[in-house]
Amino acid sequence: MTYIAKPKFHHPGLPKNALGFTHRDYEGKISTLCAGCGHDSITASIIEACFDLSIEPHRVAKISGIGCSSKTPDYFLGNSHGFNSVHGRMPSVLTGANLANRELIYLGVSGDGDSASIGFGQFAHSIRRGVNMTYIVENNGVYGLTKGQFSATADRGSKSKKGVTNTDNAIDLVAIALQLGASFVARSFSGDKTQLVPLIAAAIEHKGSAFIDVISPCVAFNNHAGSTKSFDYVREHNDAVNRLDVITGRDPITVDYAPGTVQVVEQHDGSRIALRKIDADYDPHDRVGAMSFLQRHAAKGQIVTGLLYVDPEAEDLHSHLDTVAAPLNSLDEKALCPGSAALDKINAALR
């Protein structure tokens, strides 16, 4: 029902952020997904995060692939830039756009079929290159558009709606992201808005490849007994490693708590993430420790959520390539054609 326009009327009493925008200014079209779909909850969390950060919608570029998840950018930030690419190719399109214009905020939305199967290679290379982006996978463990076949993230031993048991090992995108060098890695649950909203906000503020795997139950094909991606299963097996909040880089904030109860993660731009730890021995700066932690809890059938790893000294692809700061479409002829002397110097360096 995306053809149905939402009323433009705004109640004068709606809360506004620092820019004077309301939540309605960050919404998109009416969702056509199944009622109760976890993806719609993720949409609501993205809207909330952008509202809290007071982001100008036109500064966001939202890019997706193919699948139920890749339809969702139509339902948020209707006044932003958007591009719906082909199946599994979202990361390369986002990488190209990011290289052409680093001034935009890049939000990649994908699914477990889109990123863990046909787009697995694209996912891997965008992560290892450190593209400055927020990469969200809406993970339901099935191909919803083609009636519920197991996807590559479906856990071995889980059952489909028809009662078929999955005999393939699952791809853990969080573990892969950690191994490939992502500088911000998190997992959350679409039904936990309290956790998901600050994770999205922190990922947007982070400079580098930020990856969030969101377990998002498919109410049509994967929300039954025997599924490990259902609402009930995730709620019963969720082990959150931290409680999250985001403090943007404005006036300094000081805290005086007992050692080990709060850890402040400082990012390159001065923003802060305050972590109120549940597991006193969990260190979000230890990549190898995060990988081991995931494996230990997965063996117990537990789904670890929260901020699993962050690198406060992260660099992005532009830093690695030493690119110009200005968007490519703003460069004049002099910058693009520096003359024969510059060409001779380049050629001499290649001999």
Side-chain angles (χ1 to χ4, degrees), residues 215-256:
I215 307 299
S216 180
C218 174
V219 293
F221 299 107
N222 214 14
N223 193 38
H224 51 272
S227 167
T228 58
K229 297 286 193 293
S230 66
F231 280 107
D232 289 342
Y233 185 92
V234 177
R235 288 193 178 105
E236 291 172 2
H237 297 81
N238 184 8
D239 184 9
V241 298
N242 35 49
R243 296 185 183 274
L244 302 163
D245 196 4
V246 175
I247 304 170
T248 55
R250 294 190 178 91
D251 295 332
I253 297 177
T254 59
V255 294
D256 184 13

Side-chain angles (χ1 to χ4, degrees), residues 102-153:
R102 67 165 74 183
E103 293 184 351
L104 296 177
I105 298 170
Y106 288 92
L107 182 60
V109 180
S110 184
D112 41 305
D114 200 49
S115 284
S117 291
I118 190 172
F120 194 37
Q122 300 257 325
F123 160 78
H125 291 299
S126 66
I127 293 294
R128 75 180 185 87
R129 287 173 177 145
V131 180
N132 188 16
M133 62 182 175
T134 299
Y135 193 134
I136 298 176
V137 167
E138 300 179 349
N139 186 354
N140 56 23
V142 298
Y143 291 100
L145 285 183
T146 52
K147 311 308 179 187
Q149 302 94 329
F150 291 119
S151 79
T153 65

Side-chain angles (χ1 to χ4, degrees), residues 135-217:
Y135 193 134
I136 298 176
V137 167
E138 300 179 349
N139 186 354
N140 56 23
V142 298
Y143 291 100
L145 285 183
T146 52
K147 311 308 179 187
Q149 302 94 329
F150 291 119
S151 79
T153 65
D155 294 308
R156 184 172 185 174
S158 61
K159 293 185 178 180
S160 69
K161 189 174 182 179
K162 293 182 178 180
V164 179
T165 300
N166 181 35
T167 58
D168 296 334
N169 290 320
I171 290 177
D172 187 341
L173 291 173
V174 165
I176 297 297
L178 284 167
Q179 185 176 7
L180 291 171
S183 50
F184 182 107
V185 182
R187 173 176 281 144
S188 191
F189 175 47
S190 63
D192 189 355
K193 190 176 181 180
T194 301
Q195 182 191 65
L196 182 55
V197 171
L199 280 176
I200 295 174
I204 292 174
E205 291 287 296
H206 181 75
K207 182 180 180 180
S209 54
F211 175 71
I212 307 177
D213 178 37
V214 187
I215 307 299
S216 180

Side-chain angles (χ1 to χ4, degrees), residues 319-331:
S319 299
H320 301 159
L321 298 180
D322 193 25
T323 60
V324 296
L328 298 186
N329 64 0
S330 68
L331 300 180

Side-chain angles (χ1 to χ4, degrees), residues 247 253 255 262-266 271-275 285:
I247 304 170
I253 297 177
V255 294
V262 173
Q263 182 169 359
V264 178
V265 179
E266 181 176 355
S271 62
R272 304 287 194 274
I273 306 173
L275 303 177
H285 300 113

